[in-house]
Amino acid sequence: MSHQTVIILDFGGQYNQLIARRVRECGVYCEVRPYTTPLDALRAMDPIGIIFTGGPNSVYLETSPRVDPDIFTWGVPILGICYGCQLMAHTLGGRVVAATEDSAREYGKTETYFDTACRLFKGLPAQGITWMSHGDYMEKVPQGFALTARSGACPNVAIADEARGFYGVQYHPEVNHTQHGTDMIRNFLYEVCGAVGDWSMSGYKETAVRSLREKIGKGKVLLALSGGVDSSVAAALLAEAVGPQLTCVFVDHGLMRLGEGDEVEAAFSQWDISFVRSNAEELFLTKLAGVAEPEAKRKIIGEEFIRVFEAEAKKIGRVDYLVQGTIYPDVIESGAGDAAVIKSHHNVGGLPACVDFKEIVEPLRLLFKDEVRQLGRELALPEYLVSRQPFPGPGLAVRCIGEITKEKLDTLRLADFIFRDEIAKAGLEKTMDQYFAVLTNMRSVGVQGDGRTYDYTLALRSVTTTDFMTADWTRIPYEVLDRVSVRIVNEVPHINRIVYDITSKPPATIEWE
Ligand code: XMP
């Protein structure tokens, strides 16, 4: 399937991924490229439109990111967002200055008035809320541009040169707080760029299967399967493309949720592939014995995982291709500077070059998580695998605080199952993005029957988030929390107290370790 492409030119804005997701949601394929990409390379992508993202800089500074001015004579429609809008204005002869307190600096939800004759706002209400975050102001807009939206403080919230297909908005249409923001992006794509909406997962599946067959030929393929969404979908795709040549290795480290190992095995042993389940619980628990420090646990698990995987790979013999479940956010983010290490992530997608293979294949590297899920459905993966919430590589080890023992893990597994079961029964699964139980290392006094108990405190955690980089705790109804609490203390030995975690991220993280 050939498809139209839109380029998101990234000026370092915090919402670059969100813009790309919105464009894809509108049925149009797009890729994020750094603003430093040479014009020829952009031309070679033959885009139907370009979106300039926001960014932290001020266009009037010498050191600020720029574009090759020829981009404006090439004849491709451009939508500039925030910094992108100011950059367009600045480059085309307008004037951008720092906003003073009482003029046009704007932050947050802002009542905005639109000229619905402008193609960007076609068919939308003439008034609505937009999300602003800018300290600079377009004092003079370039020749040929009309003002097409205003706010109380600012007469030029949006500018348009309809003849050339250039649009600029000071606010962020990609953010949910902007009412009809996605519709504005859709208007740019369909009304201005002539998009036809040819990006779909069924089309993607066919193309991906075809190109995987061409690439792999008769080669042998190895895939590390965790049972998570990404590696499961990658496995299903490879199974469809080159099933008999594929071996999936599932390392069961004994840190999975209740029944999870068997579920993964049941799902994948039906495929026309060779599936290896390596039961390594004893090995992992032995290595983890007596270790309480979170980073130490993570390192041990990461290392052991690679050892077990390597040993299984050796049994299989020489493989030509190793498949990784890398997805697009990882690709976009890998360019980001050196942030502080909060937790060393163990990820099946991040296997080092430990096995003897010719090449790495990453069939999901251009897809967002929701697209990976859709692809999984196209490939007829069971819904419980496709819609499953993220689960960390080190598994329950990072939810069992302090030293890990089989008994503590079994306690946690059962409590976690009950929590998830009650959330499902209450029909709340879709209202939260990740929810689980944590076995704290704290014990307290309780009374059960007529006797004193001295047992563990269990914490329940649930968050709502779009990117897992920030998250809010979920307002679960009290009745549901009550049912969970009553069931757990009655059905799970050694838990006599339940607490609900009401911290957002930041300052907390989603997992406790
Ligand atoms: P935190 O706890 O850092 O988690 O707020 C953010 C998201 O990442 C998941 N997570 C992991 N995923 N390997 C993974 O594949 C890991 O080592 C890991 N640690 C945390 C976590 O579940 C949440 O979705």
Side-chain angles (χ1 to χ4, degrees):
M1 181 186 73
S2 68
H3 47 69
Q4 298 176 322
T5 299
V6 163
I7 296 172
I8 316 289
L9 208 56
D10 184 9
F11 290 94
Q14 51 180 325
Y15 302 125
N16 58 8
Q17 280 194 40
L18 210 49
I19 302 172
R21 283 181 52 180
R22 294 283 174 266
V23 172
R24 299 258 188 112
E25 275 165 30
C26 292
V28 178
Y29 181 73
C30 64
E31 286 191 28
V32 180
R33 289 295 148 104
Y35 75 91
T36 46
T37 312
L39 200 53
D40 283 347
L42 298 179
R43 276 212 179 93
M45 292 171 72
D46 193 21
I48 59 166
I50 300 177
I51 299 179
F52 291 176
T53 75
N57 301 283
S58 290
V59 285
Y60 44 80
L61 299 179
E62 276 297 307
T63 49
S64 294
R66 296 268 183 268
V67 274
D68 185 335
D70 285 349
I71 202 165
F72 296 107
T73 52
W74 162 16
V76 174
I78 299 174
L79 168 64
I81 295 175
C82 198
Y83 180 84
C85 169
Q86 293 159 6
L87 180 68
M88 177 150 57
H90 178 84
T91 316
L92 293 175
R95 189 161 53 247
V96 179
V97 294
T100 53
E101 273 317 319
D102 53 352
S103 69
R105 177 178 310 177
E106 290 174 300
Y107 186 81
K109 292 182 178 175
T110 309
E111 192 70 47
T112 307
Y113 307 88
F114 306 97
D115 174 0
T116 54
C118 172
R119 280 188 288 177
L120 207 57
F121 309 122
K122 189 176 157 190
L124 303 179
Q127 187 179 347
I129 299 294
T130 61
W131 180 258
M132 298 280 191
S133 174
H134 65 97
D136 288 334
Y137 168 74
M138 284 183 289
E139 195 178 58
K140 178 177 154 235
V141 298
Q143 224 177 5
F145 279 78
L147 305 182
T148 57
R150 65 180 170 85
S151 67
C154 182
N156 47 16
V157 165
I159 55 171
D161 180 338
E162 302 256 12
R164 288 192 284 176
F166 295 158
Y167 298 81
V169 292
Q170 291 273 24
Y171 58 89
H172 289 272
E174 70 278 18
V175 173
N176 276 336
H177 300 310
T178 295
Q179 290 172 337
H180 297 287
T182 304
D183 294 326
M184 295 167 192
I185 292 173
R186 186 177 291 111
N187 275 346
F188 174 68
L189 299 169
Y190 286 82
E191 298 293 327
V192 180
C193 302
V196 294
D198 57 7
W199 175 244
S200 77
M201 278 304 112
S202 60
Y204 182 83
K205 183 190 107 180
E206 278 151 34
T207 321
V209 165
R210 207 177 324 116
S211 68
L212 282 169
R213 282 187 187 142
E214 274 167 25
K215 182 182 185 72
I216 293 166
K218 299 212 176 315
K220 270 210 258 177
V221 185
L222 187 65
L223 185 145
L225 186 69
S226 69
V229 179
D230 304 340
S231 67
S232 298
V233 173
L237 189 63
L238 267 296
E240 175 121 353
V242 291
Q245 295 147 252
L246 172 67
T247 302
C248 288
V249 176
F250 166 50
V251 178
D252 187 347
H253 48 24
L255 304 164
M256 309 292 279
R257 287 163 290 192
L258 195 71
E260 198 168 13
D262 295 341
E263 276 175 19
V264 173
E265 184 170 354
F268 285 93
S269 43
Q270 291 167 15
W271 295 86
D272 184 17
I273 55 168
S274 111
F275 172 85
V276 178
R277 174 176 180 176
S278 177
N279 289 314
E281 180 184 40
E282 216 181 297
L283 175 80
F284 276 84
L285 294 194
T286 309
K287 292 277 178 190
L288 286 167
V291 180
E293 207 279 312
E295 275 299 290
K297 285 184 192 174
R298 282 176 171 273
K299 294 229 161 75
I300 291 171
I301 295 166
E303 273 167 36
E304 279 320 298
F305 183 90
I306 289 164
R307 288 229 173 92
V308 175
F309 182 76
E310 231 170 355
E312 293 296 339
K314 281 214 180 83
K315 288 186 207 159
I316 293 157
R318 190 179 150 67
V319 284
D320 301 286
Y321 297 96
L322 180 72
V323 181
Q324 297 206 342
T326 320
I327 67 172
Y328 202 38
D330 308 332
V331 175
I332 301 178
E333 265 161 28
S334 59
D338 4 56
V341 174
I342 309 291
K343 301 176 186 185
S344 44
H345 271 214
H346 156 59
N347 193 333
V348 220
L351 278 177
C354 58
V355 225
D356 185 20
F357 59 88
K358 230 167 50 185
E359 207 181 318
I360 291 179
V361 178
E362 296 177 317
L364 311 177
R365 64 176 283 114
L366 293 176
L367 303 185
F368 285 110
K369 193 82 170 185
D370 42 342
E371 294 175 319
V372 172
R373 291 190 207 277
Q374 281 173 41
L375 179 61
R377 292 187 185 104
E378 286 293 326
L379 289 157
L381 272 181
E383 189 57 32
Y384 71 83
L385 273 185
V386 172
S387 60
R388 101 183 337 197
Q389 49 169 319
F391 186 61
L396 297 183
V398 293
R399 297 178 180 171
C400 186
I401 312 305
E403 285 182 33
I404 295 169
T405 63
K406 172 103 168 80
E407 293 67 38
K408 280 168 83 177
L409 285 172
D410 286 340
T411 302
L412 173 58
R413 254 189 279 270
L414 187 54
D416 179 71
F417 170 78
I418 293 171
F419 182 32
R420 289 185 290 123
D421 188 45
E422 286 300 325
I423 293 297
K425 283 183 178 146
L428 293 174
E429 286 156 304
K430 297 261 181 309
T431 65
M432 44 191 86
D433 298 292
Q434 200 170 7
Y435 53 104
F436 52 87
V438 176
L439 187 65
T440 76
N441 208 22
M442 194 190 85
R443 292 199 288 168
S444 69
V445 175
V447 53
Q448 252 163 336
D450 287 327
R452 175 189 194 267
T453 58
Y454 185 59
D455 269 326
Y456 286 111
T457 299
L458 184 92
L460 303 174
R461 178 77 163 140
S462 173
V463 293
T464 318
T465 172
T466 47
D467 53 12
F468 294 89
M469 287 151 84
T470 60
D472 195 11
W473 60 276
T474 316
R475 274 53 169 179
I476 298 180
Y478 284 169
E479 320 76 84
V480 179
L481 286 173
D482 185 48
R483 277 200 295 277
V484 175
S485 167
V486 170
R487 262 192 76 187
I488 292 177
V489 287
N490 279 299
E491 295 175 35
V492 186
H494 305 302
I495 292 178
N496 68 353
R497 194 178 292 270
I498 316 272
V499 296
Y500 187 47
D501 182 347
I502 51 164
T503 27
S504 293
K505 174 184 178 177
T509 52
I510 296 174
E511 304 287 348
W512 276 37
E513 287 194 338

